[in-house]
Amino acid sequence: MSYYSKPLNNLINELVKLPGIGPKTAQRLAFFILESSIENAENLARALVKAKSGIHFCRDCFNFANDELCPICQDPKRNRDLICVVEDAKDIVAIEKTHQYHGLYHVLQGTIAPIDGIGPEQLKIAQLLKRLKNTTIKEIVLATNPNIEGEQTAMYIAKLLKPFNIKTSRIASGIPVGGELEYADELTLSCALAGRREI
Amino acid sequence: MRNYKTKGIVLKSMNLGEADRIITIYTEREGKVAAVAKGIRRTKSRFGARLEVFTDLNLIIHRGKSLDIITNANTIDPHLGIVSNLDKINYGYAMLELVIKTAPEGQTDARLYQLLAAALDYLNKTDIDSGAVLVTFNIKLLAITGFLPNLSVCVVCGDKDKRTVKYSPADGGMVCGGCRASGREVFTVKEPVILLAHRLLYKHFVEVEAVPIEKRDVVELARLLRFHLAYHLNIKLKSEAFLE
Ligand SMILES: [Zn+2]
Ligand SMILES: [Zn+2]
């Protein structure tokens, strides 16, 4: 019971597979593409294929890269004493936007998730340890998400890092800036208390 | 009644769309429920960390057309002692996965909620071997769901033969010497292991500490239950690879 021609239907079906795109949005995007010029459609198609075929993972940090190394690993101005460990390449973007961090990164590509059978071997943890041999790294910042999975992954990596004698830190978590104590839950509040600092 | 109030324990959570999550909860009133927590991934979500796995909470859930929606969540216990301990957390995950995989869809059993809450509360506080807590939970869970292997009498003829130490997966329990002859596949379970199973089954978690427990018996009992689950429910736990 399709109201659309087959190619249009195919287009909608492909768009709806994208995260955050429901059937309504997919339909709107499909109509937008059909109503715009053929050049626009070709540019979009080319950009998709080029991104997918030309981009791979950085040799050192597993961020997206179009050369052997990603732009951050290639940048001579970055501080090579620091590695910030994140779950996902998207997290790099979030941290870069703060303009507060100038070190390198390491993308784990996920978290430990026992119920889904995802263990340390499926993540880029061994590669992180390998990076620490014959380098000048002085500190590892564990910036996995402050939820149970991210916390477990950070604790696990911290344990593995012990023998390396490298300073290891965990990003602070607790009450969001602008939030109020009254509305904080017990887990968040106990993290905030545990991570209190001298002022 | 479009809304219902219940206690529940968070078993699993999965990202949905831009900022939402689908939370799988074992509730006291409605059994296993998958409900949406809207906006929970935003840093200033009013849910905060209340819907993290292992949390025991009071909930108000709205019955939606397709998916239920969590409208209110209040923590009873986040089980910090489990989630902040690398050893305990993996045993905790095995408990959650057991509930996810054995709890029948659309069926409510308040005892299952109470069992999970008691097991997590105990694991949260205790210093005894986490393996013993897990195996105690496992055997009680099988008793509630009706899949407990019969360890007292011969399951084929009903004869109570004290020296019966052969477990037959196909029969779902112990078999005696006579029945064994008929060519059933069996394997040996040591007597202390069977004894341990009986002790753990009828004890509250807080009493488990007083049970004399040999580590190797715990390991063997866990193996027996694992085998039983795989044979009768076709269940293999992914989280098991993370134990020890
Ligand atoms: Zn890189
Ligand atoms: Zn018999």
Side-chain angles (χ1 to χ4, degrees):
Chain A
M1 51 153 270
S2 176
Y3 311 113
Y4 309 124
S5 67
K6 208 167 166 226
L8 177 53
N9 225 353
N10 285 347
L11 179 57
I12 293 174
N13 284 340
E14 290 307 315
L15 289 169
V16 94
K17 290 178 191 163
L18 300 172
I21 307 278
K24 275 240 170 66
T25 311
Q27 186 191 327
R28 213 168 55 234
L29 290 172
F31 276 106
F32 176 82
I33 292 167
L34 287 186
E35 283 158 13
S36 67
S37 69
I38 185 77
E39 286 81 30
N40 279 346
E42 278 168 354
N43 286 342
L44 176 63
R46 233 177 287 124
L48 283 173
V49 173
K50 202 159 177 204
K52 190 61 202 164
S53 57
I55 293 186
H56 49 261
F57 296 119
C58 171
R59 184 195 70 197
D60 287 353
C61 76
F62 298 92
N63 184 11
F64 291 116
N66 38 14
D67 300 313
E68 194 180 12
L69 292 173
C70 75
I72 293 173
C73 288
Q74 281 185 38
D75 185 348
K77 291 198 287 288
R78 304 295 299 206
N79 178 351
R80 273 151 217 283
D81 294 341
L82 276 169
I83 292 182
C84 177
V85 178
V86 294
E87 288 176 22
D88 195 290
K90 284 199 290 287
D91 300 328
I92 294 182
V93 179
I95 294 174
E96 285 298 290
K97 280 184 182 162
T98 67
H99 302 289
Q100 297 292 310
Y101 178 79
H102 308 290
L104 303 175
Y105 289 94
H106 191 85
V107 183
L108 295 174
Q109 301 188 342
T111 52
I112 295 175
I115 291 187
D116 298 320
I118 300 174
E121 318 77 48
Q122 276 104 302
L123 307 174
K124 303 293 177 197
I125 293 179
Q127 289 84 343
L128 172 65
L129 301 184
K130 215 172 120 201
R131 266 180 98 178
L132 301 182
K133 287 175 187 142
N134 5 303
T135 49
T136 56
I137 305 292
K138 294 200 180 77
E139 182 176 350
I140 306 278
V141 183
L142 298 171
T144 49
N145 284 325
N147 51 33
I148 304 298
E149 296 82 3
E151 205 59 50
Q152 183 186 8
T153 308
M155 284 192 294
Y156 179 84
I157 295 174
K159 198 173 113 187
L160 294 180
L161 290 176
K162 278 262 155 62
F164 287 86
N165 270 324
I166 295 173
K167 183 179 170 193
T168 305
S169 55
R170 176 82 174 110
I171 51 162
S173 54
I175 315 295
V177 179
E180 290 177 34
L181 287 191
E182 190 189 339
Y183 297 110
D185 61 275
E186 292 73 5
L187 194 56
T188 303
L189 206 44
S190 40
C191 282
L193 283 169
R196 68 188 183 274
R197 60 187 165 78
E198 246 175 79
I199 58 168
Chain B
M1 280 284 276
R2 294 302 301 274
N3 285 338
Y4 60 93
K5 265 189 187 177
T6 181
K7 287 183 188 174
I9 292 167
V10 179
L11 304 174
K12 200 173 158 57
S13 105
M14 246 172 57
N15 286 351
L16 175 74
E18 286 282 315
D20 306 342
R21 269 195 195 132
I22 298 182
I23 315 283
T24 308
I25 307 159
Y26 199 85
T27 66
E28 190 172 35
R29 256 194 63 177
E30 302 275 318
K32 195 166 60 182
V33 168
V36 178
K38 296 217 160 164
I40 188 169
R41 279 149 67 204
R42 296 184 214 273
T43 27
K44 283 188 191 169
S45 157
R46 69 203 158 86
F47 290 122
R50 287 183 184 93
L51 293 168
E52 288 292 313
V53 278
F54 295 107
T55 307
D56 186 6
L57 30 70
N58 282 306
L59 294 151
I60 301 175
I61 298 174
H62 176 77
R63 265 184 248 274
K65 278 203 186 85
S66 54
L67 279 164
D68 289 359
I69 293 163
I70 300 172
T71 56
N72 206 300
N74 259 305
T75 312
I76 299 171
D77 192 340
H79 295 120
L80 259 174
I82 298 174
V83 299
S84 61
N85 182 316
L86 267 181
D87 177 51
K88 284 185 180 183
I89 194 170
N90 286 329
Y91 286 90
Y93 270 120
M95 292 181 189
L96 301 186
E97 194 182 359
L98 269 168
V99 174
I100 292 171
K101 295 200 167 155
T102 58
E105 294 288 340
Q107 269 183 44
T108 305
D109 193 336
R111 291 173 307 164
L112 195 48
Y113 163 79
Q114 284 145 11
L115 173 66
L116 182 60
L120 292 178
D121 286 350
Y122 184 62
L123 181 64
N124 193 45
K125 279 178 263 172
T126 187
D127 294 323
I128 74 158
D129 172 32
S130 303
V133 186
L134 174 61
V135 88
T136 308
F137 171 76
N138 198 342
I139 201 161
K140 288 170 181 290
L141 177 87
L142 289 174
I144 288 178
T145 49
F147 288 105
L148 188 70
N150 191 334
L151 299 173
S152 328
V153 295
C154 170
V155 287
V156 182
C157 67
D159 193 23
K160 197 165 182 167
D161 175 356
K162 278 247 151 48
R163 278 160 301 164
T164 290
V165 288
K166 300 288 181 190
Y167 165 80
S168 158
D171 296 305
M174 310 307 289
V175 286
C176 73
C179 301
R180 219 180 300 152
S182 54
R184 281 185 168 80
E185 189 202 0
V186 290
F187 65 83
T188 306
V189 186
K190 292 194 200 79
E191 207 146 0
V193 176
I194 298 172
L195 259 165
L196 178 67
H198 285 297
R199 287 207 184 105
L200 297 179
L201 182 56
Y202 300 110
K203 290 264 194 286
H204 285 293
F205 281 98
V206 283
E207 296 170 315
V208 169
E209 234 152 298
V211 177
I213 294 173
E214 290 284 344
K215 176 92 186 156
R216 60 166 196 277
D217 294 342
V218 169
V219 172
E220 205 178 318
L221 181 57
R223 197 175 65 100
L224 171 74
L225 297 179
R226 201 155 54 228
F227 204 90
H228 191 74
L229 275 171
Y231 198 97
H232 290 278
L233 292 169
N234 206 8
I235 287 172
K236 174 122 183 44
L237 296 185
K238 287 183 176 161
S239 54
E240 227 146 48
F242 296 80
L243 305 180
E244 305 284 315

